[in-house]
Amino acid sequence: MPSLFRHVSRALQGIVATSLIAAGLSGPALAQTQQVLRVTAIPDESPTELARKFAPLGKYLEKELGVKVEWTPVTDYAAAVEAVVNKKIDLAWFGGFTFVQANVRSGGRIVPLVQREEDEKFRSVFITDAKSGIGKLEDLKGKTLSFGSASSTSGHLMPRSFLLAAKINPDTDLKRISFSGAHDATVAAVASGKVDAGALNISVWEKLVAEKKVDTSAVKVFFTTPPYYDYNWSVHADMPAATKEKLKAAFLKLNPSTPEGKEILELQRATKFVPTQPENYAGIKAAAENAGLLK
C-alpha cells in the first residue's frame, strides 16, 4: 500500500505541475503559488542594522500581501544586482546606481516601484577631521579620501561626479582613495584618522549625528552636494502585475499617523513613499557613464 500511495502521489504531482505550466504559472508566477516574497537590500550599512530596519516592514508586507516574507542579506552590492536580475530575489532596496546597473544588466527588465520622498532630492556629504584644515573640495588635492562601496550612488558615484565637476580627479589629484564598503564605516575611517576625508549618504550621516554616534566637534561636514535621485524598491518585470500593484499600494499606504506606519517610516528614514519610474535615474546613468563606472 505505501508503494501505491507513492505512485499516486507522484502522478498527482505531475498533473499539478503540468496544469500550472499550462496555465502559465511557471517561473515567477509559480513561485508566487509558494506564497513567499524574497527581499534583500544593498549592504550600505551593517548587516544587523539592515535586519533591524527591515523587520517591521517585513511583518507589514506579510500582512498586506498575505504571503510569507523572507529577508535575505547579500555580501555586497554586486550580489544584490545579480540576485534580482536572476530572479533569486523578488524585491530589492537599491541605490540609484545599483538600480541602473541592474536595469542595464537585465536589458531593462528591472522595474523601480517606489522611493522615499527624500530620494527625489537626495544628497551626499563630504566629511573631515575638524582640525584638518580642509574646508572645500579643492582642499582635497594631495589628501586621502574614503568612499563607501564602489557601487554606491551616494557613497561613490555622485561624490566622484561632483569632484570631477570641480575639476578634481580623485584618481590622480588625491594622494590615495579607498573604499570602506559602507557609509557608517566611512565615518569611522575619518574619525579614527585612517583617512583625511570621506564621502557618504546624508541620511546615514544625520542618523549617526542624531544617535550621538559621531562627535560633530571632532568630525565635520565641509561640503554637501546638490540634490539627485537615489534609492528605490525594485522588482523584476516578470513579477505578476497584481503582485506589483499590491506591493506598490502597500508602500504608498504607509502613514506616520499610525503607530505601525510611524515605526516603519522612521526606520526607513522616510516621511512617505512615492511612485517612481526608470526615467528618474537617467541622470545617475549619465553620471556613471561619464565617470566610466558603467560597464
Side-chain angles (χ1 to χ4, degrees), residues 51 111 117 223 295:
V111 180
E117 188 174 43
F223 181 78
K295 298 176 181 179

Side-chain angles (χ1 to χ4, degrees), residues 21-151:
I21 292 169
L25 294 175
S26 57
L30 180 58
Q32 195 61 29
T33 67
Q34 297 170 1
Q35 303 294 291
V36 175
L37 182 80
R38 301 158 300 178
V39 187
T40 197
I42 54 171
D44 58 349
E45 295 184 82
S46 70
T48 52
E49 177 63 9
L50 289 177
R52 183 183 77 87
K53 283 170 55 179
F54 181 73
L57 176 59
K59 290 178 183 177
Y60 169 74
L61 292 178
E62 283 188 341
K63 182 181 66 176
E64 291 294 311
L65 275 66
V67 300
K68 181 181 178 183
V69 173
E70 289 183 353
W71 171 251
T72 306
V74 290
T75 54
D76 54 34
Y77 284 49
V81 169
E82 289 303 311
V84 179
V85 170
N86 294 316
K87 297 187 244 185
K88 297 185 183 302
I89 289 292
D90 304 301
L91 174 68
W93 175 244
F94 280 146
F97 184 29
T98 35
F99 161 72
V100 167
Q101 288 177 312
N103 192 261
V104 170
R105 173 87 173 73
S106 66
R109 300 295 290 164
I110 303 304
V111 180
L113 287 184
V114 295
Q115 61 186 123
R116 300 170 302 188
E117 188 174 43
E118 289 78 359
D119 291 309
E120 294 180 312
K121 294 182 178 180
F122 207 78
R123 293 171 295 163
S124 296
V125 292
F126 282 79
I127 61 172
T128 186
D129 185 292
K131 299 177 181 177
S132 69
I134 297 173
K136 54 186 184 297
L137 292 181
E138 289 75 11
D139 295 335
L140 288 173
K141 290 184 177 181
K143 305 292 186 180
T144 58
L145 172 75
S146 176
F147 291 116
S149 164
S151 293

Side-chain angles (χ1 to χ4, degrees), residues 80-268:
V81 169
E82 289 303 311
V84 179
V85 170
N86 294 316
K87 297 187 244 185
K88 297 185 183 302
I89 289 292
D90 304 301
L91 174 68
W93 175 244
F94 280 146
F97 184 29
T98 35
F99 161 72
V100 167
Q101 288 177 312
N103 192 261
V104 170
R105 173 87 173 73
S106 66
R109 300 295 290 164
I110 303 304
V111 180
L113 287 184
V114 295
Q115 61 186 123
R116 300 170 302 188
E117 188 174 43
E118 289 78 359
D119 291 309
E120 294 180 312
K121 294 182 178 180
F122 207 78
R123 293 171 295 163
S124 296
V125 292
F126 282 79
I127 61 172
T128 186
D129 185 292
K131 299 177 181 177
S132 69
I134 297 173
K136 54 186 184 297
L137 292 181
E138 289 75 11
D139 295 335
L140 288 173
K141 290 184 177 181
K143 305 292 186 180
T144 58
L145 172 75
S146 176
F147 291 116
S149 164
S151 293
S152 172
T153 309
S154 53
H156 179 217
L157 171 61
M158 297 313 289
R160 177 182 281 269
S161 177
F162 290 116
L163 281 169
L164 292 171
K167 303 191 184 310
I168 302 165
N169 185 330
D171 298 318
T172 57
D173 294 333
L174 273 61
K175 180 179 180 181
R176 185 184 77 253
I177 61 170
S178 55
F179 295 91
S180 70
H183 301 296
D184 45 7
T186 297
V187 176
V190 174
S192 66
K194 288 183 179 178
V195 289
D196 297 314
L200 71 146
N201 149 346
I202 193 171
S203 178
V204 173
W205 169 257
E206 291 176 343
K207 183 198 75 166
L208 293 172
V209 170
E211 294 176 350
K212 302 188 185 306
K213 292 182 178 177
V214 58
D215 181 357
T216 52
S217 67
V219 180
K220 69 171 185 176
V221 171
F222 70 91
F223 181 78
T224 300
T225 71
Y228 53 86
Y229 278 93
D230 201 356
Y231 294 86
N232 66 57
W233 284 103
S234 287
V235 299
H236 198 285
D238 289 349
M239 175 181 278
T243 305
K244 278 187 279 196
E245 287 308 309
K246 282 184 180 180
L247 263 176
K248 182 184 288 188
F251 277 105
L252 298 182
K253 193 170 81 170
L254 284 167
N255 191 312
S257 66
T258 68
E260 181 180 48
K262 184 174 187 293
E263 179 188 20
I264 292 170
L265 290 170
E266 284 183 353
L267 282 170
Q268 297 294 311

